[in-house]
């Protein structure tokens, strides 16, 4: 059976993916990935320097996550209504300011405020970035473009966090945040060149109704529900991965740091694989949605191997499979959110992040309710991963229905602004 007529034709210039064209937003994604995980290795040093407990210092991480989760849908709406350029630049400016404030912090209160501002910055810029990539990348390579963005976000954990920790060990923890501020300042001129005035702007609609509009679309509602369940399994179980590996194999803190690199590398690989496979599926006339159940099944297998696989090598192979599935799932979900309702791209992307954090909280609570961490990880992590795979099966064919319902063409090339 042959594919669509144009599936094997040489891609035209407008269908190829120019990575340098997205240098500004890719740089910002790398910095966001670094910021998300940066405090963890610095926590003991920060707590000792400002004379608080590690639990108190960890409230800076809580501030970042809570502000992002709560504000992202509303700031995603601003991006959909007033354009990507304004929202992205405002987010970048806040991100620069937040890291500068962190570098100047002498006490816990100012540090927590700086992390809250960083969460606000990421909540503004993050959804706008995913929406910008989805609406400007040619349909033929849209998944690949989003996958590369997600891979660079994951690289922040693999490369950015170790570099930040190394710098902090040499010049103090504040130097890591100062470096983040300087790097953001370098990225801003790239953003100014990349984003034309009015890029991605949409017609205004009612604010509350628009924020909740993603939940009124049947396909997006199912996708967000599946996203919540998947991340209750994925990141909820990940919360206890260190404790699990210590319990099973007695790993040292240094060894657990290397596990973090494996987690990041798996996410990078999954993001790139997910984007490429999704593009191939669409080029052959199939939707990328059927891949979502596959990621759910692989997640269940990876978690099960990590929790109960005999021997350290098999458990680590499970960790790799786990986060390949995680990276592939997130990439395909972002592609889906950017395709189903083009007028709600940033808002839909923001809801993906909010439901991810909600699922993480519920999953972590559920795993933690077990007295044995291995049993909790297996039952909650692998069990909910299977549930998410079954739920993802109901998403098949949703993209075309949504496109017809909204009146949007499936290929948004006609709506793409000129970024020359």
């Amino acid at each position: 059976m042959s594919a669509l007529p144009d599936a094997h034709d040489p891609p035209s210039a407008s269908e190829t993916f120019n990575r340098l064209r997205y240098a500004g937003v890719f740089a910002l994604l790398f910095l966001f990935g670094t910021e998300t995980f940066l405090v963890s290795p610095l926590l003991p040093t920060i707590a000792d320097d400002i004379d608080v407990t590690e639990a108190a210092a960890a409230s800076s991480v809580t501030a970042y996550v809570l502000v992002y989760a709560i504000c992202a849908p509303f700031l995603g709406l601003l991006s959909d209504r007033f354009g990507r350029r304004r929202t992205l630049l405002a987010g970048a400016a806040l991100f620069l300011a937040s890291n500068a404030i962190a570098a100047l912090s002498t006490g816990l209160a100012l540090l927590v405020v700086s992390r809250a501002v960083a969460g606000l910055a990421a909540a503004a810029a993050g959804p706008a970035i995913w929406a910008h990539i989805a609406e400007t990348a040619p349909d033929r390579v849209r998944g690949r473009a989003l996958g590369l963005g997600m891979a660079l976000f994951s690289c922040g954990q693999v490369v950015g966090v170790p570099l930040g920790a190394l710098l902090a060990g040499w010049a103090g923890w504040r130097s890591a945040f100062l470096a983040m501020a300087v790097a953001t300042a370098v990225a801003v001129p790239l953003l100014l060149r990349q984003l034309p005035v009015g890029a991605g702007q949409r017609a205004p609609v009612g604010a509350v109704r628009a924020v909740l509009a993603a939940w009124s679309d049947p396909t997006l509602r199912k996708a967000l529900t599946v996203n919540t369940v998947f991340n209750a399994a994925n990141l909820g179980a990940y919360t206890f991965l260190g404790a699990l590996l210590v319990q099973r194999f007695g790993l040292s803190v240094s060894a657990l740091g290397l596990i973090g690199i494996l987690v990041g590398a798996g996410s990078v690989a999954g993001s790139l694989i997910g984007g490429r496979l999704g593009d191939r599926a669409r080029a052959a006339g199939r939707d990328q949605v059927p891949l979502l159940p596959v990621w759910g099944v692989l997640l269940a297998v990876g978690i099960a191997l990590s929790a109960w696989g005999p021997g350290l090598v098999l458990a680590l192979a499970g960790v790799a499979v786990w986060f390949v599935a995680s990276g592939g799932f997130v990439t395909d979900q972002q592609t889906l959110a950017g395709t189903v309702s083009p007028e709600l791209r940033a808002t839909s992307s923001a809801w993906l992040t909010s439901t991810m954090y909600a699922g993480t909280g519920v999953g972590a609570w559920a795993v933690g309710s077990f007295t044995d961490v291995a049993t909790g990880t297996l039952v909650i992590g692998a069990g909910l991963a299977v549930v998410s795979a079954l739920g993802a099966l109901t998403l098949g064919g949703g993209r075309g229905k949504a496109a017809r319902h909204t009146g949007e063409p499936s290929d948004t090339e006609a709506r793409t602004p000129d970024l020359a």
Side-chain angles (χ1 to χ4, degrees):
M1 181 177 179
S2 62
L4 291 180
D6 63 349
H8 301 292
D9 292 342
S12 65
S14 63
E15 293 178 314
T16 57
F17 177 40
N18 182 355
R19 293 168 179 80
L20 292 178
R21 184 182 188 182
Y22 296 89
V25 294
F26 282 164
L28 212 53
L29 283 173
F30 176 84
L31 293 174
F32 285 165
T34 302
E35 184 90 358
T36 302
F37 301 100
L38 182 60
V39 171
S40 180
L42 305 183
L43 197 60
T45 304
I46 292 173
D48 183 64
D49 183 69
I50 62 177
D51 196 24
V52 298
T53 65
E54 290 186 11
S59 62
S60 62
V61 178
T62 303
Y64 180 93
V65 171
L66 283 180
V67 170
Y68 193 126
I70 294 170
C71 296
F74 299 95
L75 296 177
L77 172 63
L78 291 180
S79 174
D80 284 330
R81 290 183 64 173
F82 301 113
R84 312 298 178 219
R85 180 185 174 94
R86 294 177 183 174
T87 313
L88 258 173
L89 292 177
L94 282 174
F95 193 65
L96 192 160
S98 70
N99 282 289
I101 293 171
L104 297 173
S105 299
T106 56
L108 181 61
L110 193 57
L111 180 64
V112 170
V113 169
S114 76
R115 297 304 82 208
V117 175
L120 187 67
I129 288 175
W130 297 120
H132 169 67
I133 296 173
E135 68 196 3
T136 57
D139 186 66
R140 185 185 185 109
V141 293
R142 181 173 296 128
R144 200 174 310 170
L146 289 164
L148 181 57
M150 188 58 62
L152 286 167
F153 179 88
S154 298
C155 278
Q157 179 182 2
V158 180
V159 179
V161 171
L163 287 177
L166 184 65
L167 180 61
W170 175 64
W173 64 268
R174 292 179 180 82
S175 65
F177 291 105
L178 180 60
M180 291 288 292
V182 172
T184 305
V186 172
V188 169
L190 295 174
L191 291 172
L192 288 169
R193 182 177 180 182
Q194 178 181 338
L195 294 162
V197 176
Q201 190 166 337
R202 301 286 183 261
V205 292
V208 175
R209 182 179 177 185
V211 168
L212 299 176
W215 292 94
S216 66
D217 184 290
T219 299
L220 287 175
R221 183 168 61 248
K222 291 177 183 178
L224 292 171
T225 302
V226 168
N227 191 62
T228 305
V229 176
F230 183 94
N231 282 294
N234 175 30
L235 299 179
Y238 175 60
T239 303
F240 295 90
L241 179 59
L244 171 68
L245 295 176
V246 169
Q247 174 184 298
R248 295 196 64 200
F249 307 109
L251 297 185
S252 66
V253 174
S254 299
L256 290 177
L258 295 177
I259 300 300
I261 296 177
L262 178 61
V263 167
S267 298
V268 170
S271 300
L272 296 175
I273 293 169
R276 189 171 292 273
L277 290 179
D279 286 339
R280 288 182 179 178
R282 288 193 303 278
R286 302 187 304 274
D287 197 281
Q288 79 276 12
V289 167
L291 292 173
L292 293 177
V294 174
W295 302 129
V297 171
L298 285 178
L299 178 66
V301 171
I303 292 176
L305 286 175
S306 300
W308 287 92
L312 178 60
V313 172
L314 202 55
L316 294 183
V319 172
V321 172
W322 177 344
F323 285 94
V324 166
S326 175
F329 179 89
V330 171
T331 297
D332 284 342
Q333 280 280 56
Q334 287 288 356
T335 306
L336 177 65
T339 305
V340 169
S341 292
E343 74 282 4
L344 294 171
R345 282 192 174 105
T347 308
S348 300
S349 176
W351 275 115
L352 282 178
T353 303
S354 291
T355 53
M356 177 190 75
Y357 284 135
T360 300
V362 171
W365 169 81
V367 174
S369 67
F370 286 75
T371 55
D372 180 69
V373 67
T375 302
T377 300
L378 181 68
V379 173
I380 300 300
L384 289 181
V386 172
V387 172
S388 74
L390 294 174
L393 288 172
T394 68
L395 286 167
R399 175 191 170 193
K401 293 177 183 177
R404 288 192 295 272
H405 175 71
T406 60
E408 294 289 339
S410 61
D411 183 353
T412 55
E413 292 293 323
R415 297 166 56 89
T416 301
D418 182 10
L419 297 186

